[in-house]
């Protein structure tokens, strides 16, 4: 295998964020005394959250604004008189306790850490992501965690990947690869920075974007064999 640096996205690549997100949201609403129609409210929250994260990634809003605004908009849309700042605080505190691993995450990290260096690249909240990694059982395989919060720029900005590269021990573009589920952040970022990428696509979606992954897998169990195949090509 030619690669020696494996840069993994965290949410929905190694950790099942969708599962954690719902568990934490429901727990937050319950702690605030809201128990009716939570599933429907959560779907609205998800849509609002996704749009705010996209705006964050383009630099249109700050992360601090996003963390509270997603709850403010959700409560406003549903006529709910709850404090969005309290909801945000409870939700973020809950996330490290609701970690769910994607199937095959531990094995792929263990295998690749024996070959080279495994790093995490994430746009998530730094303190929360570090706690989630600690709860996941993956920390022993991970060499470093690069966050947009510490960097000041978010994926897919090239400056974020330059920052992550400086955290690696030895670094050579031809020996680095990004593994992630998002074409618009992970794969496009890899394209812009000039390194290879592996698109984790468990839902087998069609790529209709400008992002061009070097390879594609539907399961984390296929990552090692796919990367080994790139060395032969």
């Amino acid at each position: 295998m030619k690669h020696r640096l494996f840069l993994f996205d965290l949410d929905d690549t190694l950790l099942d964020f969708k599962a954690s997100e719902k568990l934490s949201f429901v727990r937050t609403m319950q702690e605030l005394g809201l128990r009716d129609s939570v599933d429907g409210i959560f779907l609205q929250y998800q849509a609002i959250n996704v749009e705010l994260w996209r705006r964050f990634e383009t630099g249109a809003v700050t992360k601090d604004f996003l963390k509270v605004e997603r709850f403010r908009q959700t409560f406003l849309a549903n006529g709910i008189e709850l404090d969005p700042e309290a909801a945000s605080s409870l939700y973020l505190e809950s996330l490290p306790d609701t970690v769910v691993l994607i199937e095959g995450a531990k094995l792929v990290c263990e295998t690749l850490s024996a070959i080279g260096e495994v790093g995490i690249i994430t746009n998530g909240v730094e303190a929360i992501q570090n706690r989630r990694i600690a709860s996941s059982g993956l920390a022993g395989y991970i060499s470093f965690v690069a966050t947009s919060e510490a960097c000041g720029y978010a994926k897919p900005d090239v400056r974020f990947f330059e920052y992550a590269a400086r955290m690696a021990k030895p670094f050579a573009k031809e020996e680095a690869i990004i593994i992630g589920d998002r074409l618009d952040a992970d794969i496009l970022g890899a394209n812009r920075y000039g390194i290879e990428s592996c698109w984790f696509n468990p839902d087998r979606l069609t790529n209709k974007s400008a992002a061009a992954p070097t390879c594609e897998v539907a399961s984390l169990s296929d990552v090692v064999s796919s990367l080994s195949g790139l060395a032969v090509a």
Side-chain angles (χ1 to χ4, degrees), residues 23-38:
L23 288 169
S24 294
F25 184 87
V26 170
R27 182 181 296 183
T28 297
M29 293 304 102
Q30 289 176 342
E31 288 195 36
L32 291 172
L34 184 66
R35 290 176 171 77
D36 295 332
S37 306
V38 173

Side-chain angles (χ1 to χ4, degrees), residues 132 172 206 223:
R132 294 175 69 229
T206 300
V223 167

Side-chain angles (χ1 to χ4, degrees), residues 5 117 143-144 165-171:
L5 176 61
E117 189 176 16
S143 177
F144 63 88
R166 290 195 296 270
M167 298 181 76
K169 292 170 185 174
F171 176 76

Side-chain angles (χ1 to χ4, degrees), residues 3-20:
H3 300 104
R4 290 296 177 269
L5 176 61
F6 309 95
L7 297 171
F8 276 91
D9 172 55
L10 189 62
D11 290 322
D12 294 322
T13 299
L14 293 176
L15 304 185
D16 188 341
F17 183 74
K18 293 181 180 69
S20 297

Side-chain angles (χ1 to χ4, degrees), residues 42-85:
F42 173 69
L43 291 176
Q44 289 179 293
Y45 165 86
Q46 272 190 312
I48 291 166
N49 190 39
V50 167
E51 177 57 28
L52 283 168
W53 273 106
R54 294 199 187 285
R55 291 178 64 195
F56 165 74
E57 287 164 0
T58 62
V61 300
T62 66
K63 193 171 292 181
D64 285 340
F65 175 83
L66 175 157
K67 288 186 288 188
V68 177
E69 180 66 10
R70 54 191 176 183
F71 286 99
R72 190 194 69 79
Q73 289 188 25
T74 301
F75 293 162
L76 184 64
N78 290 276
I80 298 169
E81 295 185 2
L82 291 174
D83 182 356
E85 291 192 3

Side-chain angles (χ1 to χ4, degrees), residues 5 7 120-121 123 144-148 150-173 176 178 185-186 188-195:
L5 176 61
L7 297 171
I120 298 296
I121 50 172
N123 283 346
F144 63 88
V145 179
T147 68
S148 60
C151 169
Y153 301 97
K155 296 182 290 181
D157 195 304
V158 169
R159 288 167 292 188
F160 174 85
F161 297 97
E162 290 171 343
Y163 168 77
R166 290 195 296 270
M167 298 181 76
K169 292 170 185 174
F171 176 76
K173 283 190 174 182
I178 289 171
D186 305 309
L188 183 60
N191 294 164
R192 289 177 175 176
Y193 188 50
I195 62 177

Side-chain angles (χ1 to χ4, degrees), residues 12 18 102 181 199-207 216-219:
D12 294 322
K18 293 181 180 69
I102 298 284
D181 68 300
W199 182 27
F200 176 54
N201 182 20
D203 295 327
R204 301 181 188 276
L205 302 173
T206 300
N207 182 4
E216 178 181 334
V217 296
S219 170

